[in-house]
Amino acid sequence: MRITITSVLVHDQAVAEKFYTEVLGFVKKHDVPMGGDARWLTVVSPDNPDGTELLLEPDAHPAAKPWKEALVGDGIPYTQFAVDDVKAEFARLRDLGVRFTQEPVDMGAFTTAVLDDTCGNLIQIIQMH
């Protein structure tokens, strides 16, 4: 058993595609129409194009929005992405206008920062030491 796809719920796939590719730097892997406005839209790390895919999944289910709002309200990240240098990535993303709810914090074994993905989620970036 292995993880090949994971997802993040987004309120607008077009906005998510732009943010996750043009700002965060992921690469689009699949973009398949699913009927209506929905698409099977996945992105991957450019460093591992055959690795785990992130599905930018519509948050159309009635439970999704209140759940996401509760996580954001409590400051809880929806998911996390590994980076080589949190401080450098924080500076790069901040210069691109990304809003952070937590600046880099050294927690001993790792350093984290938390950003707003513009799609209704908080995302943690993490650097393992």
Side-chain angles (χ1 to χ4, degrees):
M1 190 176 302
R2 62 191 178 281
I3 298 170
T4 58
I5 298 175
T6 189
S7 64
V8 62
L9 296 171
V10 299
H11 69 274
D12 183 311
Q13 286 183 301
V15 170
E17 179 182 1
K18 182 174 178 137
F19 183 81
Y20 279 78
T21 58
E22 295 178 16
V23 177
L24 294 185
F26 291 107
V27 176
K28 184 166 48 174
K29 175 91 176 194
H30 293 107
D31 190 351
V32 180
M34 299 298 293
D37 292 333
R39 306 178 303 180
W40 181 264
L41 177 61
T42 67
V43 296
V44 294
S45 168
D47 296 335
N48 192 5
D50 295 319
T52 303
E53 296 177 47
L54 179 65
L55 175 63
L56 304 177
E57 186 170 3
D59 65 2
H61 189 281
K65 290 176 186 171
W67 180 65
K68 287 172 52 179
E69 289 170 0
L71 289 176
V72 170
D74 288 343
I76 299 171
Y78 187 100
T79 193
Q80 65 182 358
F81 303 135
V83 297
D84 292 330
D85 184 333
V86 166
K87 291 178 182 175
E89 194 66 12
F90 169 80
R92 180 186 79 81
L93 293 171
R94 186 187 55 204
D95 288 348
L96 291 173
V98 174
R99 185 178 76 83
F100 279 81
T101 61
Q102 176 197 299
E103 294 193 7
V105 175
D106 185 339
M107 299 183 181
F110 50 87
T111 299
T112 65
V114 179
L115 62 93
D116 178 338
D117 77 348
T118 74
C119 302
N121 304 293
L122 298 179
I123 304 295
Q124 181 168 275
I125 55 174
I126 187 168
Q127 170 191 352
M128 303 303 292
H129 298 289

